Amino acid sequence: GSLSLTGLEAGDAAGARALRERALALDGGDLTLRRALALDAGREVLDDEAIDTAAALAAYRAAPRREDASSVMILDAAAQELGPGGGGVTRVHQVTKVLDQEAVDHAGEVALPGGAQLLALRTLKPDGRILEPDGGEGKGSLSLTGLEAGDVVDLEYLVPDGAPHAGLGVAADAFYFASPGVNLFRSTYLARAPRGLGLEVDAHRLPTPPVEAAGDAEVIRAERTEVPAVVPEPGAPPAPEFVPFVQVGAGGGRDAIQRALADALAGRTAATLEVRALASEVRAAAGPGAGPEALARAAYAAARLRVVGTGGGTAGTASEILSRGRGSRLLLLAALLEELGVPARVAAVRPFGGDATAYRFPSPGLWAGRLLRLSLPGRTVWLDPTFREQPFGAIDEELLGAEALVLPRPGEPLEVDRTPAANAGPSGQRTDARIALAADGSATIDGLFEVEASSAGGIKAALAAADERQRRQALEELLGTAFRGVSVEAIEIQGDQDPGAPLAIRWHGRAEALARPDAGGLVIDAPLAPLRLGAHLVRLAVRTTPLLVDAASTTAIRIAVVPPPGLAAHAAPDAALRTALGTFERTERVEAGVLVREERLAVPRGRIAPADYPALAAFAAGVDAVEGRPTVLAPR
């Protein structure tokens, strides 16, 4: 029911306040109501934890200064108050000194979070002047006109924290004690909750602050000073994996998320007349006496044909998806398998390249992948019907070897599984080219670029969505990086409509100046089909954060170089590099006057620690050095 404030209308201020407090206990994130109660008492929300700007500036000016970044945050303070129902409010106070034009441009437009209410925003000039911001009506932000390097921006606001999903416990937003491009002089955090809530602390890369009793509340405090700016590095994993932070909450956890995800799925795979009719067609297509795997394969093929486009996620219902022919192919497949009696469960999967932090209070978004787990006689099969072109039993590499929350039906126990470490059958890609050189250094090239079926689902889907011009343009750009100056004259694509077949792109082209004359022979200076490992992986001399290699590279290359009359090819020595971070092999031989070069590269996915980064850089440099050897054709 709803709470009425009729007591206030009758002049019963105490009764009206009691009703407001009851309402606030139900929705602690009602910022307007919370502020009204605080103002009745002659104060502002959380002003007992407010930090004076003048005091913060005085402390900064009295201390040794670190001003080697674009800006310095003299104060970064957050005070969070949680209600018994989980919602709450946060008071944020940031005092920032901008040190260069980049910081001026960044700080000059202030956009508050959704639902926030501004307490203070002003520019403090070195000469003591205080400038108020422009109104910013209609553009969603406030402009600090006149902001210059050396000025200080003083910002303070309140922002509501909405109540969590039922059953997910109570959890405040994480507070980070480091920031990209900004030095932190003082960073302080406070969380307060009603006593007895059972507040817990999840601290990462800093000591765990204790939970202390303060009257009728539980309080935690954490503070860090003189924190250098985080320098953004290419290829780094998500920031929570290496930035210090603290999060507080009560209850919840992975089990609660698993139950909530299962509840959200309830009813979405219910069989309707349309679903039952399609299941009957599937059973007939599978044949009399078909077993669970045959039925599953027939259902997989039916869902592929009935639903076009990308079919991931779990939005809608199986019946709606079947009627529209668009949407979650996974839900339709789950409904079909249920009707066919094949044991299958939807699983929420944590992608490899996502945030791998071990949270006490995780968010459901960490398990962003969705797969279907089949329990077949003697084995488990995982299905990923996101792409129409994905083979039965092959799943996206991001979801291989990943934690999977199996979403139970009512009454079933919770189960956490793990997806297979690799897809069955071959994976990776290969390049095969035959280069016929002419005496003037020009060449005709016949090539094949092939991707194994288990790795080609996404590429096939992209090709299906592109028109003929877009396809040709993309392929020409790809081939142009492999063979310098090539002009593609013919392209043929095979296997793009067959999920079980490799994707094969056959092409024919011409390069006008692939080789240059030298001492009566020819020299090909540019690498042929180069891997460019250093450019892909090693973009910094040193790293302070891990390098995320989120996809494994398994590449095979075979190149045959046919010399023009009068010139001969000579095989270079073989090369092999074998490390824990990758392997590379190159062999060369001459067969019937043709130089045959074969290469194979394997780089596993992983998170490369800064201490291991030099070894990876050395491996990449070694590969690039071998590939940088010129190809020499000398007179016979």
Side-chain angles (χ1 to χ4, degrees), residues 258 373 404-408 413-417:
Q258 192 169 358
R373 191 191 71 170
L405 307 184
V406 181
L407 304 187
L414 296 181
E415 183 183 357
V416 179
D417 204 344

Side-chain angles (χ1 to χ4, degrees), residues 166-357:
L168 290 184
V170 177
D173 292 336
F175 182 81
Y176 295 90
F177 288 91
S179 181
V182 181
N183 289 332
L184 298 181
F185 175 71
R186 182 188 179 197
S187 187
T188 177
Y189 172 75
L190 170 136
R192 187 164 66 193
R195 196 165 185 177
L197 185 66
L199 204 62
E200 296 179 64
V201 184
D202 183 23
H204 294 256
R205 287 163 292 281
L206 76 163
T208 300
V211 179
E212 300 174 342
D216 59 353
E218 298 173 339
V219 177
I220 74 106
R221 298 178 186 272
E223 182 170 319
R224 294 190 78 193
T225 58
E226 292 292 344
V227 180
V230 174
V231 179
E233 296 180 342
E241 293 190 23
F242 56 86
V243 172
F245 72 90
V246 65
Q247 186 180 24
V248 302
R254 187 182 69 181
D255 289 357
I257 286 175
Q258 192 169 358
R259 293 189 182 95
L261 292 175
D263 290 344
L265 199 65
R268 295 185 182 274
T269 59
T272 60
L273 289 175
E274 296 86 356
V275 172
R276 293 192 181 100
L278 181 57
S280 297
E281 294 179 22
V282 168
R283 193 180 295 277
E293 181 165 347
L295 289 171
R297 288 182 179 274
Y300 190 85
R304 172 182 176 267
L305 294 175
R306 294 300 183 99
V307 181
V308 300
T310 301
T314 54
T317 66
S319 181
E320 295 170 347
I321 293 157
L322 180 57
S323 298
R324 293 196 307 263
R326 288 188 175 275
S328 173
R329 200 173 290 110
L330 181 141
L331 284 184
L332 176 57
L333 181 58
L336 287 174
L337 293 173
E338 182 178 355
E339 184 67 19
L340 293 167
V342 179
R345 293 292 180 268
V346 176
V349 185
R350 195 165 182 175
F352 177 81
D355 182 3
T357 304

Side-chain angles (χ1 to χ4, degrees), residues 24-29 34 81-89 161-165 169-173 194 197 250:
L24 199 60
L26 296 174
D27 182 8
R34 187 180 287 270
E81 187 166 60
L82 301 177
V89 64
D161 300 320
H165 187 284
V170 177
D173 292 336
L197 185 66

